[in-house]
Amino acid sequence: EISTDDPETAFCTLANREELNPEEDSIHHCLYQFTRNETLTETNKLLCDVCTQRHCGPKSNIGGKYVYTNAKKQMLISLAPPILTLHLKRFQQAGFNLQKVNRHIKFPEVIDLAPFCTAKCKNVAEGNTKVLYSLYGVVEHSGTMRSGHYTAYVKMRAMNNHLSDLVLQGQSQASETEPVKGQWFHISDTHVQPVSVYKVLSSQAYLLFYERVL
């Protein structure tokens, strides 16, 4: 999608991301790095149709003449989803082999996506500077790249009427800033047992599931 926004506001976010100062090995740091502003230069320059026509004429593409220019790139959220699924990359290249990444990544019960949303996020009410999500599920993998076991943490909670409004109508009047109340359970095959939120937040998350509350 080509953006025709004012260059001065094209890279603005719903909330000030520069005040984040995210802690390393945290989901906030991962999102901050993923949505950082990048400069495209040298072999990464952007093909500019306008510049090409301006310098070479409208039929220049026939002769294979193109003009490339320096550019800025940033990936931001333009439509906040009702359900947010975050998939952590838990492998890295080690020579010719893939190696599992086992370090713990910190994640919160409630996360604010506003610093990672475009200033004109389509389904955020005008004036809102928060886009809040509450954690309700975690998938964890134990083992290696060759073998292992998946388990899950799931929160049993009351129905989220605001989430239903988002799914069915694309809008919500929610005002919660606290986690959705409920009981956490650890599920491993046929074994299910209640656990504390501390146990959940200490897990080595592979997939994170959040539901929008604001």
Coordinates of all heavy atoms in Angstrom, one line a residue, residues 90 104-109 135-140 151-156 182-187 193-210:
R90 N 12.4 -18.6 18.2 CA 13.2 -19.3 19.2 C 14.2 -20.2 18.6 O 14.5 -21.3 19.0 CB 12.3 -20.1 20.2 CG 11.6 -19.1 21.2 CD 11.4 -19.8 22.5 NE 11.0 -18.8 23.5 CZ 11.9 -18.2 24.3 NH1 13.2 -18.3 24.1 NH2 11.4 -17.3 25.2
H104 N 14.9 -16.5 28.6 CA 13.6 -16.0 28.9 C 13.4 -14.6 28.4 O 14.2 -13.7 28.5 CB 13.5 -16.0 30.5 CG 12.2 -15.4 31.0 ND1 11.0 -16.1 30.8 CD2 11.9 -14.3 31.6 CE1 10.0 -15.3 31.3 NE2 10.5 -14.2 31.8
I105 N 12.2 -14.4 27.8 CA 11.7 -13.1 27.3 C 10.6 -12.7 28.2 O 9.6 -13.3 28.3 CB 11.3 -13.2 25.8 CG1 12.4 -13.7 24.9 CG2 10.7 -11.8 25.4 CD1 13.6 -12.8 24.8
K106 N 10.8 -11.5 28.8 CA 9.8 -11.0 29.7 C 8.6 -10.5 29.0 O 8.7 -9.8 27.9 CB 10.4 -9.9 30.6 CG 11.5 -10.3 31.5 CD 12.1 -9.1 32.3 CE 13.3 -9.5 33.1 NZ 13.9 -8.4 33.8
F107 N 7.4 -10.8 29.5 CA 6.2 -10.3 28.9 C 5.2 -9.9 30.0 O 5.2 -10.5 31.0 CB 5.6 -11.3 27.9 CG 5.3 -12.7 28.5 CD1 4.1 -13.0 29.1 CD2 6.3 -13.6 28.6 CE1 3.9 -14.2 29.7 CE2 6.1 -14.9 29.2 CZ 4.9 -15.2 29.7
P108 N 4.4 -8.9 29.8 CA 3.4 -8.4 30.8 C 2.0 -9.0 30.7 O 1.7 -9.6 29.7 CB 3.4 -6.9 30.5 CG 3.5 -6.8 29.0 CD 4.4 -8.0 28.6
E109 N 1.3 -8.9 31.8 CA -0.1 -9.3 31.7 C -0.9 -8.3 30.8 O -1.9 -8.8 30.1 CB -0.7 -9.3 33.1 CG -0.4 -10.5 33.9 CD -1.3 -10.5 35.2 OE1 -2.4 -11.1 35.1 OE2 -0.9 -10.0 36.2
L135 N -3.4 -10.5 28.6 CA -2.9 -11.8 28.3 C -3.9 -12.9 28.7 O -4.5 -12.8 29.8 CB -1.6 -12.1 29.0 CG -0.8 -13.4 28.8 CD1 -0.2 -13.4 27.4 CD2 0.3 -13.6 29.9
Y136 N -4.1 -13.9 27.8 CA -5.1 -15.0 28.2 C -4.5 -16.3 27.8 O -5.1 -17.3 28.2 CB -6.4 -14.8 27.6 CG -6.5 -15.0 26.1 CD1 -6.8 -16.3 25.6 CD2 -6.3 -14.0 25.1 CE1 -6.9 -16.6 24.2 CE2 -6.4 -14.3 23.8 CZ -6.7 -15.5 23.3 OH -6.7 -15.8 22.0
G137 N -3.4 -16.4 27.1 CA -2.8 -17.7 26.7 C -1.4 -17.6 26.4 O -0.9 -16.6 25.9
V138 N -0.6 -18.7 26.7 CA 0.8 -18.8 26.4 C 1.1 -20.3 26.0 O 0.6 -21.2 26.6 CB 1.7 -18.5 27.7 CG1 3.1 -18.6 27.3 CG2 1.4 -17.1 28.2
V139 N 1.9 -20.4 24.9 CA 2.3 -21.7 24.5 C 3.8 -21.8 24.8 O 4.6 -20.8 24.5 CB 2.1 -22.0 23.0 CG1 2.8 -23.3 22.6 CG2 0.6 -22.1 22.8
E140 N 4.3 -22.9 25.4 CA 5.7 -23.0 25.8 C 6.2 -24.3 25.2 O 5.5 -25.3 25.1 CB 5.8 -23.1 27.3 CG 7.2 -23.2 27.8 CD 7.3 -23.1 29.4 OE1 6.4 -23.8 30.0 OE2 8.2 -22.5 29.9
T151 N 3.4 -27.3 25.9 CA 2.4 -27.2 26.9 C 1.8 -25.8 26.8 O 2.3 -24.9 26.1 CB 3.0 -27.3 28.3 OG1 4.1 -26.4 28.5 CG2 3.6 -28.7 28.5
A152 N 0.7 -25.6 27.5 CA 0.0 -24.3 27.4 C -0.4 -23.8 28.7 O -0.7 -24.6 29.7 CB -1.2 -24.4 26.4
Y153 N -0.5 -22.5 28.8 CA -1.1 -21.8 30.0 C -2.3 -21.0 29.5 O -2.2 -20.3 28.5 CB -0.2 -20.8 30.6 CG 1.0 -21.4 31.3 CD1 2.2 -21.6 30.6 CD2 1.0 -21.9 32.6 CE1 3.3 -22.2 31.1 CE2 2.1 -22.4 33.2 CZ 3.3 -22.6 32.4 OH 4.4 -23.2 33.0
V154 N -3.5 -21.3 30.1 CA -4.7 -20.6 29.6 C -5.5 -20.0 30.8 O -5.5 -20.6 31.9 CB -5.6 -21.7 28.9 CG1 -6.9 -21.0 28.5 CG2 -4.9 -22.3 27.7
K155 N -6.0 -18.8 30.6 CA -6.7 -18.2 31.7 C -8.2 -18.4 31.5 O -8.8 -18.1 30.4 CB -6.5 -16.7 31.7 CG -7.3 -15.9 32.8 CD -7.1 -14.4 32.6 CE -5.9 -13.9 33.3 NZ -5.8 -12.4 33.3
M156 N -8.9 -19.0 32.5 CA -10.3 -19.2 32.5 C -10.9 -17.9 33.0 O -10.7 -17.5 34.1 CB -10.8 -20.3 33.3 CG -12.3 -20.7 33.2 SD -12.8 -22.1 34.1 CE -12.7 -21.5 35.8
G182 N -9.4 -13.7 36.3 CA -9.6 -15.1 36.0 C -8.6 -16.0 36.6 O -7.6 -15.6 37.3
Q183 N -8.7 -17.3 36.4 CA -7.8 -18.3 37.0 C -6.9 -18.9 35.9 O -7.5 -19.4 34.9 CB -8.6 -19.4 37.7 CG -7.7 -20.6 38.2 CD -6.7 -20.2 39.2 OE1 -7.0 -19.7 40.2 NE2 -5.4 -20.5 38.9
W184 N -5.6 -19.0 36.1 CA -4.7 -19.6 35.1 C -4.6 -21.1 35.4 O -4.6 -21.6 36.5 CB -3.3 -19.0 35.3 CG -3.2 -17.6 34.6 CD1 -3.3 -16.4 35.2 CD2 -3.0 -17.4 33.2 NE1 -3.1 -15.4 34.3 CE2 -3.0 -16.0 33.0 CE3 -2.8 -18.2 32.1 CZ2 -2.8 -15.3 31.8 CZ3 -2.6 -17.6 30.8 CH2 -2.6 -16.2 30.7
F185 N -4.5 -21.8 34.3 CA -4.3 -23.3 34.3 C -3.1 -23.7 33.4 O -2.9 -23.1 32.3 CB -5.5 -24.0 33.8 CG -6.7 -23.9 34.8 CD1 -7.6 -22.9 34.7 CD2 -6.9 -24.9 35.8 CE1 -8.6 -22.8 35.6 CE2 -7.9 -24.8 36.7 CZ -8.8 -23.8 36.6
H186 N -2.4 -24.7 33.8 CA -1.3 -25.2 33.0 C -1.8 -26.5 32.4 O -2.3 -27.4 33.1 CB -0.1 -25.5 33.9 CG 1.1 -26.0 33.1 ND1 1.8 -27.2 33.4 CD2 1.7 -25.6 32.0 CE1 2.7 -27.4 32.5 NE2 2.7 -26.4 31.7
I187 N -1.7 -26.7 31.1 CA -2.2 -27.8 30.4 C -1.0 -28.6 29.7 O -0.3 -28.0 28.9 CB -3.2 -27.4 29.3 CG1 -4.4 -26.6 30.0 CG2 -3.8 -28.6 28.6 CD1 -5.3 -26.0 29.1
Q193 N -3.8 -28.3 35.6 CA -3.7 -27.9 37.0 C -3.7 -26.4 37.2 O -3.1 -25.7 36.3 CB -2.5 -28.5 37.7 CG -1.1 -28.1 37.1 CD 0.1 -28.7 37.9 OE1 -0.1 -29.3 38.9 NE2 1.2 -28.5 37.3
P194 N -4.3 -25.9 38.2 CA -4.3 -24.4 38.4 C -2.8 -23.9 38.8 O -2.1 -24.6 39.4 CB -5.2 -24.2 39.6 CG -5.3 -25.5 40.3 CD -5.0 -26.6 39.2
V195 N -2.5 -22.8 38.3 CA -1.2 -22.2 38.6 C -1.3 -20.7 38.9 O -2.3 -20.1 38.6 CB -0.2 -22.4 37.4 CG1 0.2 -23.9 37.2 CG2 -0.7 -21.8 36.1
S196 N -0.3 -20.1 39.4 CA -0.3 -18.7 39.7 C 0.1 -17.9 38.5 O 0.8 -18.4 37.6 CB 0.7 -18.4 40.9 OG 2.0 -18.6 40.5
V197 N -0.2 -16.6 38.5 CA 0.2 -15.8 37.4 C 1.7 -15.6 37.3 O 2.3 -15.5 36.3 CB -0.5 -14.4 37.5 CG1 0.0 -13.6 38.7 CG2 -0.2 -13.6 36.2
Y198 N 2.4 -15.7 38.5 CA 3.8 -15.7 38.6 C 4.5 -16.8 37.8 O 5.4 -16.6 37.0 CB 4.3 -15.7 40.0 CG 5.8 -15.9 40.1 CD1 6.6 -14.7 40.0 CD2 6.4 -17.1 40.4 CE1 8.0 -14.8 40.1 CE2 7.8 -17.2 40.5 CZ 8.6 -16.1 40.3 OH 10.0 -16.2 40.4
K199 N 3.9 -18.0 37.9 CA 4.3 -19.2 37.1 C 4.2 -18.9 35.6 O 5.0 -19.3 34.8 CB 3.5 -20.4 37.5 CG 3.8 -21.7 36.7 CD 5.2 -22.3 37.0 CE 5.3 -23.6 36.4 NZ 6.7 -24.2 36.5
V200 N 3.1 -18.3 35.2 CA 2.8 -18.0 33.8 C 3.8 -17.0 33.3 O 4.5 -17.3 32.2 CB 1.4 -17.4 33.6 CG1 1.2 -17.1 32.2 CG2 0.3 -18.4 34.1
L201 N 4.1 -16.0 34.0 CA 5.0 -14.9 33.5 C 6.4 -15.4 33.6 O 7.3 -14.7 33.0 CB 4.8 -13.6 34.4 CG 3.4 -13.0 34.3 CD1 3.4 -11.7 35.2 CD2 3.1 -12.7 32.8
S202 N 6.7 -16.5 34.3 CA 8.1 -17.0 34.3 C 8.3 -18.0 33.2 O 9.5 -18.5 33.1 CB 8.3 -17.7 35.7 OG 8.2 -16.8 36.7
S203 N 7.3 -18.4 32.5 CA 7.5 -19.4 31.4 C 8.3 -18.9 30.2 O 8.4 -17.7 30.0 CB 6.1 -19.8 30.9 OG 5.4 -18.8 30.3
Q204 N 8.8 -19.9 29.5 CA 9.6 -19.6 28.3 C 8.7 -19.5 27.1 O 8.6 -20.5 26.4 CB 10.7 -20.6 28.2 CG 11.8 -20.2 27.1 CD 12.8 -21.3 26.9 OE1 12.8 -22.1 26.0 NE2 13.7 -21.5 27.9
A205 N 8.1 -18.4 26.9 CA 7.0 -18.3 25.9 C 7.5 -18.5 24.5 O 8.6 -18.0 24.1 CB 6.3 -16.9 26.1
Y206 N 6.7 -19.2 23.8 CA 6.9 -19.4 22.3 C 5.8 -18.7 21.5 O 6.1 -18.0 20.5 CB 6.9 -20.9 22.0 CG 7.0 -21.2 20.5 CD1 8.1 -20.8 19.8 CD2 6.1 -22.0 19.9 CE1 8.2 -21.1 18.5 CE2 6.2 -22.3 18.6 CZ 7.3 -21.9 17.8 OH 7.4 -22.2 16.5
L207 N 4.6 -18.7 22.0 CA 3.4 -18.0 21.5 C 2.7 -17.3 22.6 O 2.5 -17.8 23.7 CB 2.5 -18.9 20.8 CG 2.9 -19.6 19.5 CD1 1.9 -20.7 19.1 CD2 3.0 -18.6 18.4
L208 N 2.3 -16.0 22.4 CA 1.6 -15.2 23.4 C 0.3 -14.8 22.7 O 0.2 -14.4 21.6 CB 2.4 -14.0 23.8 CG 3.7 -14.2 24.5 CD1 4.5 -12.9 24.6 CD2 3.4 -14.8 25.9
F209 N -0.8 -14.9 23.5 CA -2.2 -14.6 23.0 C -2.7 -13.5 24.0 O -2.9 -13.7 25.2 CB -3.1 -15.8 23.0 CG -2.6 -16.9 22.1 CD1 -1.8 -17.9 22.6 CD2 -3.0 -16.9 20.8 CE1 -1.3 -18.9 21.7 CE2 -2.6 -17.9 19.9 CZ -1.7 -18.9 20.4
Y210 N -3.1 -12.4 23.4 CA -3.7 -11.3 24.1 C -5.0 -10.9 23.5 O -5.2 -11.0 22.3 CB -2.8 -10.0 24.0 CG -1.5 -10.1 24.8 CD1 -0.4 -10.6 24.3 CD2 -1.5 -9.5 26.1 CE1 0.8 -10.6 25.0 CE2 -0.3 -9.5 26.8 CZ 0.9 -10.1 26.3 OH 2.0 -10.1 27.0

